Amino acid sequence: MRNLPLHIKILIGLVAGVVYAFISSALGWNQFTINWIDPFGTIFIRMLKFIAVPLVLFSIISGISGLSDISRLGKMGAKTLGFYLVTTVLAVTLGLLLVNTVKPGTFLDETQRIKNRISYELWAKDTGEAIKDNKNFLNDPKYADLILEVSGSEQVIDEKVEKLKSNAESTKEASPLQFLVDMVPENLVFSISNNGLMLQVIFFAIFFGISIAIVGEKAKPVAQFIVSINDIFLKMVELVMKAAPYFVFALLAGVIAKMADTPSEVLEIFRSLGSYALTMVVGLGTLIFIVYPIILILFVKDMTYKKVFKNISPAQLMAFSTSSSAATLPVTMKCVENNMGVSKNVSSFVLPIGATVNMDGTSLLQAVAVIFMAQLHMVDLSFGQQLTIVLTATLASIGAAAVPSAGLIMMMIVLGSVGLNPAWIAIIFPVDRPLDMLRTVVNVTGDATVATLVAGTEGELKPEG
């Protein structure tokens, strides 16, 4: 066991956590699991998160201050954002192709779908929203009984939906250039203490690193000091990762214990939204196992399918466990530098930006989920409306924080952009957390792919061996 590679140990921890969770729920030990095992998973995520922000700060500063030619920074930044934009558009397009082919929203009972349609039209009537496909079930006499049944039922608005709705509204009403304003910190100490303000930390780190490079010889002591601090944080990551398999076991056991009290309840959650979940899994799996490896094999010399996963699997398994790109960032940096051969100059610049702006998995989710919910309510979205989803989902993914379930807020904005009810996101709540784990694997794999591509184009990719 001691001689096994880290990714195998983490995989064993993952499987053991899932198996234990089912045994725990069957024997009624869930409360014990939540009280005495789950906290160790929370501690693990906290340890990775408190390392992530200073690691981003010092790695970017040390990477940029070490550049002999500052003009390269602008070129590298343009390539980074360009590659991330291309992978995001690919992810959204794949999602739309899948959801329109499989049509997971049509698997529901026809009567229930008609009721859903009527509730959508009642909502549109109350809010003054135009019906998107020009159909009108409310005026059709054959649905009179169903209309009475739906309109007479009490509408319960979930507290979580309401909170997300208000957050989405404030985001939607912001200035078109608000994202630029949000990148500049008012108070650096506050930005460093808040994982949700990673872009502000990146902005400061780039600015500070450029300033060190311009000052030159006089700033060398500061540059060397920052490199030393960065090495200390990398050693902290290494120490935490030695206990990762045990922490991952606790994390998975806790997540499943909170979802349901019995094994049958866990299975029922997945069965009720099976067609949607399966479509998502196929889409996310296609990105992980086909799209990204093909890109790397085509553009990176001597790269093979086996090498791709051997090199980045520890980061992928960590992403699956934590559901957080930010928490996985230290591990991603280690994999990309040590295994893929990407220089620190590139990895310290590209990966922190990716953990914040590259949300390929989230973009695919938004495309699939919005069309799925429209199908569930018998709403036919035109090609133009689906293009609106592509554009909004791509832009919204840039604003999605690198923390679990942040994409739900952005999804409400995407739903609003095509005139659908934002409260519909409650439908996918039951399977959001497990799918979130897989989405994070996609995001992290995309980050590693782009970092390797940028390094290749900049001549900063060391050959293996």
Side-chain angles (χ1 to χ4, degrees):
M1 178 76 177
R2 192 171 290 180
N3 297 324
L4 286 174
L6 179 63
H7 65 278
I8 299 294
K9 290 180 182 176
I10 294 173
L11 189 58
I12 291 169
L14 275 169
V15 174
V18 173
V19 171
Y20 169 82
F22 273 88
I23 295 169
S24 163
S25 59
L27 298 175
W29 296 350
N30 270 9
Q31 202 53 50
F32 170 83
T33 303
I34 291 165
N35 290 340
W36 295 97
I37 295 178
D38 181 58
F40 290 100
T42 307
I43 288 167
F44 179 52
I45 289 182
R46 286 191 175 195
M47 287 175 80
L48 286 171
K49 280 188 175 179
F50 84 64
I51 293 171
V53 174
L55 184 64
V56 166
L57 177 66
F58 294 117
S59 64
I60 290 178
I61 294 171
S62 63
I64 291 173
S65 62
L67 288 175
S68 53
D69 182 8
I70 290 296
S71 64
R72 279 184 60 201
L73 188 63
K75 198 165 70 170
M76 202 193 301
K79 284 179 186 175
T80 300
L81 293 174
F83 284 140
Y84 280 141
L85 192 63
V86 169
T87 59
T88 301
V89 172
L90 268 174
V92 179
T93 307
L94 174 64
L96 286 177
L97 284 170
L98 269 174
V99 77
N100 282 299
T101 305
V102 178
K103 299 190 185 329
T106 62
F107 285 61
L108 194 69
D109 174 67
E110 188 73 12
T111 305
Q112 185 57 53
R113 287 183 70 216
I114 292 168
K115 285 182 183 179
N116 291 346
R117 171 71 195 204
I118 291 165
S119 68
Y120 159 66
E121 291 190 13
L122 288 168
W123 168 81
K125 188 178 176 184
D126 289 343
T127 56
E129 192 74 52
I131 301 291
K132 292 301 158 189
D133 52 9
N134 298 318
K135 295 176 186 173
N136 200 320
F137 283 44
L138 290 179
N139 292 337
D140 195 326
K142 70 178 177 184
Y143 300 127
D145 291 341
L146 288 174
I147 292 166
L148 195 63
E149 186 184 332
V150 173
S151 59
S153 64
E154 187 182 356
Q155 296 291 311
V156 180
I157 302 296
D158 189 274
E159 194 178 323
K160 187 176 177 184
V161 174
E162 278 299 290
K163 188 178 176 184
L164 288 168
K165 197 172 179 179
S166 75
N167 288 343
E169 281 300 315
S170 61
T171 306
K172 192 164 65 175
E173 289 167 9
S175 153
L177 295 179
Q178 187 62 39
F179 74 96
L180 282 178
V181 175
D182 290 340
M183 282 174 65
V184 183
E186 277 186 275
N187 182 323
L188 182 63
V189 176
F190 178 72
S191 301
I192 290 172
S193 66
N194 188 335
N195 277 300
L197 299 176
M198 188 78 86
L199 269 179
Q200 295 187 359
V201 176
I202 291 169
F203 176 87
F204 170 77
I206 292 170
F207 194 19
F208 195 79
I210 290 170
S211 301
I212 289 176
I214 291 170
V215 170
E217 199 65 32
K218 285 183 182 178
K220 264 198 171 175
V222 176
Q224 287 168 351
F225 174 67
I226 286 168
V227 168
S228 299
I229 294 179
N230 191 47
D231 288 341
I232 291 167
F233 275 104
L234 287 170
K235 179 54 71 174
M236 288 173 74
V237 173
E238 197 178 308
L239 293 172
V240 171
M241 288 309 294
K242 285 183 178 178
Y246 306 101
F247 282 129
V248 164
F249 166 82
L251 196 62
L252 262 290
V255 165
I256 297 174
K258 288 173 186 173
M259 283 175 65
D261 292 324
T262 64
S264 60
E265 281 183 22
V266 177
L267 293 171
E268 187 55 43
I269 286 168
F270 291 103
R271 196 182 295 121
S272 61
L273 290 166
S275 58
Y276 162 71
L278 193 62
T279 307
M280 277 294 296
V281 168
V282 169
L284 296 169
T286 302
L287 287 173
I288 296 166
F289 296 108
I290 298 174
V291 176
Y292 295 135
I294 284 175
I295 290 171
L296 286 169
I297 290 164
L298 286 176
F299 294 100
V300 179
K301 192 181 177 185
D302 298 328
M303 184 59 67
T304 64
Y305 191 82
K306 189 179 176 181
K307 277 184 190 174
V308 171
F309 293 100
K310 184 186 171 188
N311 291 348
I312 62 174
S313 56
Q316 291 175 318
L317 291 167
M318 190 56 55
F320 186 79
S321 310
T322 61
S323 287
S324 171
S325 303
T328 310
L329 183 59
V331 187
T332 313
M333 291 177 85
K334 194 175 175 186
C335 288
V336 165
E337 288 169 16
N338 297 351
N339 302 343
M340 298 295 271
V342 175
S343 72
K344 277 191 177 183
N345 281 350
V346 172
S347 70
S348 62
F349 178 76
V350 175
L351 291 175
I353 292 172
T356 310
V357 304
N358 177 43
M359 296 286 158
D360 292 351
T362 305
S363 304
L364 186 137
L365 158 84
Q366 288 166 352
V368 173
V370 171
I371 305 294
F372 164 72
M373 288 185 274
Q375 290 170 351
L376 214 56
H377 292 76
M378 300 182 82
V379 180
D380 296 323
L381 295 175
S382 67
F383 179 70
Q385 287 162 341
Q386 294 198 24
L387 280 181
T388 302
I389 291 171
V390 173
L391 181 62
T392 315
T394 302
L395 296 175
S397 72
I398 296 169
V403 293
S405 295
L408 288 173
I409 294 172
M410 296 302 156
M411 197 194 300
M412 297 186 87
I413 294 172
V414 178
L415 280 164
S417 72
V418 286
L420 302 176
N421 189 351
W424 288 354
I425 62 162
I427 295 166
I428 61 167
F429 276 165
V431 292
D432 182 66
R433 178 62 178 178
L435 288 175
D436 204 23
M437 297 159 89
L438 201 53
R439 286 201 303 272
T440 311
V441 178
V442 170
N443 295 339
V444 166
T445 309
D447 293 344
T449 301
V450 169
T452 308
L453 290 177
V454 172
T457 60
E458 290 288 313
E460 298 268 1
L461 191 64
K462 292 176 286 183
E464 285 189 275

